[in-house]
Structure formats: structure tokens, C-alpha cells
């Protein structure tokens, strides 16, 4: 098996990553570039997909961080309420970053801090009606944009790709080969 990423044999299916891998194979033939074939594309896809997704959030007067908070609350189910520590874990951000997001969302009337039953020290975060409405609309539009991005793949290919990416994510998380 080659230690280099191998581009498709027909030119119409080649992209910029194929070109970079070929250049590196010529310059440093002993360097394994297969990771670039996968991770380079993942990075390019992320960078290319973000602007249209961000545009959806902007149309709802949200940024991606605010949308993440609203979506986390919405997917938690009724009463759409989570403790800040639960939100913090799902969002993978600093506590200061979460506080800033919560303050902006509260000021916009999209969330409120509710008094927890039996624990006056804990102030769960919950969606307001407007927050739930805006989160639902933004999420539905976001998923429509993302589905359109996947139209070049069959349903089976989408399922296969999602499974392979899950396996890669779990492998990277478990082994941390970069550490």
C-alpha cells in the first residue's frame, strides 16, 4: 500500500488537495501525505461550508456561538432548560465564553435564568418563547443548507461518509496520536 495519498485517475475528480499531495510526493517522496488527503479536505470543507451556515444565523440575528447555545437548549427538550455546567460541557468552550453568550442572549430576550427548584444557588438557563421560535427556524434553515451541500452524494454515500468520519473522530479522541 502506498504511503502517499493517491488521487483519482481521472482529472475531472481531482481537486486542490490532490495537487498539493502530488507536489509533496515529488518534493519529499518519503513523507506520508495520506493524512492531507483526509484532513486537508475536512479543513477545506469546514472553511467553505461555514459562510453559508453563518449567513443563516445572521439572518436570525445570531452568531454561531449564540446559535450553539440556543440549539443545545432546544434539543434538550421541554422545558428547554439546562444548568450552565450542562451547557458548558456540550459547547466545549471556556466558562467566560459561555457567560458572554448567555448575557447577549438574555439581553436579546432569547433566554432567561430560571430559579432551580430546591436550589436557589443554581440558575438554569431556559429558552424564552422567542428563543425557541428563533432556534427552530434557524436550525431548520441550517439543516436545509447543509442538506443542499450534500446533494452530490447519494443517501448511502452520506451514511457511509458519516460513519467513517465518526470512526475517525472516535479514533483521534481515543488515541490522540498528535500528542
Amino acid at each position: 500500500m502506498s504511503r502517499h495519498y493517491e488521487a483519482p485517475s481521472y482529472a475531472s475528480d481531482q481537486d486542490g488537495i490532490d495537487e498539493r499531495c502530488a507536489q509533496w510526493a515529488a518534493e519529499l517522496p518519503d513523507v506520508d501525505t495520506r493524512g492531507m488527503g483526509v484532513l486537508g479536505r475536512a479543513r477545506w470543507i469546514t472553511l467553505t461550508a461555514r459562510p453559508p451556515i453563518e449567513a443563516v444565523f445572521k439572518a436570525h440575528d445570531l452568531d454561531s456561538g449564540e446559535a450553539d447555545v440556543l440549539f443545545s437548549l432546544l434539543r434538550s427538550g421541554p422545558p428547554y432548560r439546562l444548568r450552565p455546567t450542562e451547557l458548558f460541557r456540550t459547547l466545549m468552550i471556556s466558562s467566560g465564553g459561555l457567560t458572554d453568550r448567555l448575557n447577549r442572549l438574555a439581553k436579546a430576550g432569547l433566554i432567561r435564568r430560571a430559579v432551580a427548584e430546591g436550589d436557589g444557588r443554581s440558575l438554569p438557563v431556559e429558552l424564552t418563547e422567542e428563543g425557541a421560535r428563533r432556534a427552530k427556524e434557524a436550525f431548520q434553515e441550517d439543516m436545509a443548507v447543509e442538506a443542499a451541500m450534500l446533494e452530490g452524494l447519494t443517501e448511502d454515500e452520506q451514511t457511509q461518509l458519516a460513519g467513517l468520519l465518526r470512526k475517525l473522530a472516535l479514533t483521534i479522541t481515543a488515541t490522540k496520536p498528535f500528542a
Side-chain angles (χ1 to χ4, degrees):
M1 174 180 252
S2 171
R3 288 187 47 209
H4 292 282
Y5 169 78
E6 294 185 26
S9 59
Y10 35 97
S12 66
D13 279 354
Q14 293 190 6
D15 62 12
I17 301 297
D18 294 320
E19 182 179 344
R20 287 179 187 92
C21 288
Q23 290 168 330
W24 282 116
E27 186 65 26
L28 297 171
D30 293 336
V31 175
D32 185 351
T33 59
R34 290 176 294 174
M36 186 185 301
V38 175
L39 301 175
R41 279 191 181 85
R43 182 173 187 272
W44 182 88
I45 289 166
T46 298
L47 293 173
T48 304
R50 287 313 303 168
I53 292 169
E54 297 286 339
V56 168
F57 301 152
K58 187 174 181 171
H60 292 275
D61 294 320
L62 301 169
D63 66 27
S64 62
E66 294 164 343
D68 282 345
V69 170
L70 296 180
F71 295 168
S72 293
L73 290 167
L74 186 63
R75 75 172 175 259
S76 73
Y80 309 117
R81 179 185 304 157
L82 293 171
R83 289 184 181 84
T85 53
E86 294 169 316
L87 270 172
F88 178 77
R89 282 188 215 121
T90 65
L91 298 172
M92 297 181 292
I93 59 170
S94 70
S95 59
L98 177 60
T99 300
D100 185 48
R101 290 179 191 182
L102 295 179
N103 289 339
R104 290 192 317 263
L105 291 166
K107 186 176 179 180
L110 303 177
I111 64 162
R112 67 179 154 258
R113 304 297 291 267
V115 177
E117 296 173 18
D119 185 358
R121 296 169 297 156
S122 178
L123 295 174
V125 178
E126 68 182 20
L127 288 175
T128 62
E129 281 187 41
E130 175 62 14
R133 182 193 63 76
R134 200 176 304 177
K136 287 176 187 177
E137 290 176 0
F139 185 74
Q140 289 167 341
E141 288 179 35
D142 176 27
M143 289 300 99
V145 166
E146 292 184 28
M149 291 179 188
L150 298 177
E151 286 180 353
L153 301 174
T154 67
E155 283 188 40
D156 286 344
E157 289 169 333
Q158 291 176 38
T159 300
Q160 182 181 14
L161 179 58
L164 291 170
L165 291 172
R166 179 184 310 105
K167 183 177 181 179
L168 178 61
L170 292 170
T171 299
I172 290 172
T173 301
T175 63
K176 295 187 172 98
F178 49 85

